Amino acid sequence: MSRPEILAPAGNLEKLKTAIDFGADAVYLGGSKLNLRALADNFDNEKLKEGLKYAHDRNRKVYVTINVFPHNDDLEGLEEYLKELYDMGVDAIIASDPGIISTARDVVPHLEVHLSTQANNVNWKAALFWHKIGIKRIVLARELSLEEIKEMRRKLPDTCEIEAFVHGSMCISYSGRCLLSNYMTGRDSNRGLCAQPCRYEYYLMEEKRPGEYFPVYEDERGTYVLNSKDMCMIEHIPELVEAGIHSFKIEGRMKSSYYVASVVKAYREALDSYLENPSEYKFKEKWLEYLMKPSHRQYCTGFYFGDKNIQTYDSSSYVRNYDIIGIVKEYNTDTATATIEQRNRVFDGEKVEILRAKGDSFEVALEDMKDKNGKKIDAARSAQMIFTVKTNLELKERDILIKAKEK
């Protein structure tokens, strides 16, 4: 049985390290140009080199997105950029535009190319076409069912890898090809600047009644007619593996480090458990609990089992059950003191939950809270402040502190 890759989003260097620490086999990220998350932190060349070293030192891979729909002026400097990525040791690029792909084949012929989901590949003939011109991996459109994916795997050569999204946000448009954002806000989603107008609440106005707005109802449940749920396939690991999917892709380059850690941990544990003993595999509720705590929308299984129950009409809001409190920078075993970088407010004496790359979560009490100068404080209130606490259990570097949201 082939061992699928878990591919995680890396919106910045911290998230890259978090994804790898929590079990990702590979990460995908945006470099300095031509990626569809222009508003993410992204990676300049120096950060990319650091991220590549961190990944490669741990035998993990890094894929760089060049997946915009480029206009003429976007192509300026493309050849030099591709050569820079190749020289730095990037494991693959992810692209959808034939102009970018053909340029890559010309100037860096040994650099692996993956076909982005933006190319909307939904059949095996198209996948075979791309593979014959040098594409190593097809990132499938989200609109495919599990049966369609199985058929593609049967009809494609083993040398053509298949990657599919298994978790994260869904797009109301066909695998990201959307004009709404550009039309309504001037921000082109196909060049990395989506304003997510599909999440807006809409009303209907009749031409001869200006200013008189009527709600748009769908079965009387609400007005968010374009708003999709998030995909979650954690309960269907056996089906994904048996379908022959090479890479399980997690969406979320704009999401938090806590989201990355929780989702990667859940899929890592579930996949490893299945591969260890497929015949005895049993789903564990704790894996779903990991996914319910960080910010998310209502979950569905996307198009894998048909397209029913994908939209949510009552709200576009996220479900936020837990907040990240901080990340452990170091732990002194002699003094039982943890140094923490703050993410959200936490008080001296509070109990928090510890999310760790390996093992179950557990609670600790934060005692004797001090600022970086050693001054006693009653709370860590300032964003990303460094503070210390004593804990009743030993912590580790890069442990993530979380707590249930205050009601």
Side-chain angles (χ1 to χ4, degrees), residues 109-155:
H110 300 296
L111 178 59
E112 191 170 298
V113 181
H114 298 174
L115 187 72
S116 171
T117 190
Q118 297 299 117
N120 309 126
N121 202 137
V122 292
N123 68 77
W124 68 271
K125 276 278 191 180
L128 189 58
F129 163 81
W130 288 111
H131 185 55
K132 285 180 177 178
I133 64 170
I135 298 296
K136 170 73 171 178
R137 178 186 297 184
I138 307 296
V139 186
L140 298 177
R142 292 176 177 88
E143 289 75 22
L144 289 173
S145 70
L146 195 64
E147 289 305 314
E148 289 176 304
I149 294 173
K150 289 179 181 178
E151 183 179 4
M152 290 186 72
R153 182 66 280 167
R154 286 194 299 268
K155 292 184 175 179

Side-chain angles (χ1 to χ4, degrees), residues 186-387:
R187 287 170 50 179
D188 190 348
S189 58
N190 298 314
R191 298 172 86 182
L193 293 169
C194 185
Q196 292 197 315
C198 54
R199 310 296 183 185
Y200 298 172
E201 185 171 17
Y202 288 92
Y203 291 85
L204 186 68
M205 187 180 73
E206 198 271 326
E207 180 183 12
K208 296 181 180 179
R209 303 181 193 181
E212 192 172 338
Y213 298 100
F214 300 91
V216 179
Y217 288 113
E218 177 120 5
D219 297 335
E220 301 298 316
R221 287 179 291 181
T223 60
Y224 294 88
V225 292
L226 303 178
N227 184 50
S228 57
K229 296 179 180 178
D230 283 359
M231 180 195 295
C232 176
M233 288 293 287
I234 192 67
E235 296 182 72
H236 301 281
I237 295 297
E239 295 99 309
L240 295 172
V241 175
E242 290 159 13
I245 298 170
H246 179 87
S247 181
F248 295 177
K249 189 168 193 172
I250 298 164
E251 183 276 338
R253 277 192 281 154
M254 299 289 286
K255 305 286 181 67
S256 69
S257 294
Y258 172 37
Y259 166 91
V260 172
S262 298
V263 177
V264 171
K265 181 178 175 68
Y267 282 88
R268 176 82 278 156
E269 290 187 7
L271 179 59
D272 286 352
S273 177
Y274 175 73
L275 294 176
E276 183 178 347
N277 194 341
S279 63
E280 299 294 327
Y281 173 79
K282 290 183 179 179
F283 177 76
K284 296 180 182 179
E285 286 298 324
K286 70 174 183 177
W287 299 329
L288 185 57
E289 290 173 9
Y290 290 144
L291 304 179
M292 297 301 291
K293 290 179 178 180
S295 181
H296 65 279
R297 294 185 179 89
Q298 295 178 45
Y299 284 134
C300 70
T301 54
F303 290 85
Y304 278 100
F305 304 105
D307 59 358
K308 297 179 180 179
N309 199 31
I310 289 176
Q311 300 304 109
T312 178
Y313 305 108
D314 54 353
S315 172
S316 65
S317 298
Y318 284 95
V319 179
R320 292 182 171 92
N321 295 323
Y322 276 68
D323 282 328
I324 178 173
I325 299 305
I327 299 175
V328 176
K329 309 306 287 185
E330 61 179 352
Y331 186 83
N332 187 320
T333 54
D334 294 334
T335 61
T337 300
T339 301
I340 298 167
E341 186 175 87
Q342 189 258 26
R343 289 295 185 273
N344 279 290
R345 185 181 63 177
V346 62
F347 291 93
D348 187 32
E350 271 196 288
K351 284 187 176 181
V352 299
E353 187 176 321
I354 303 298
L355 183 69
R356 180 172 288 174
K358 295 187 180 298
D360 293 338
S361 299
F362 57 93
E363 278 194 346
V364 298
L366 305 182
E367 306 288 353
D368 194 25
M369 186 178 290
K370 297 177 180 178
D371 65 17
K372 64 180 181 180
N373 298 315
K375 181 181 178 181
K376 180 76 174 175
I377 54 176
D378 68 337
R381 293 185 170 88
S382 302
Q384 292 192 294
M385 69 177 287
I386 301 296
F387 66 98

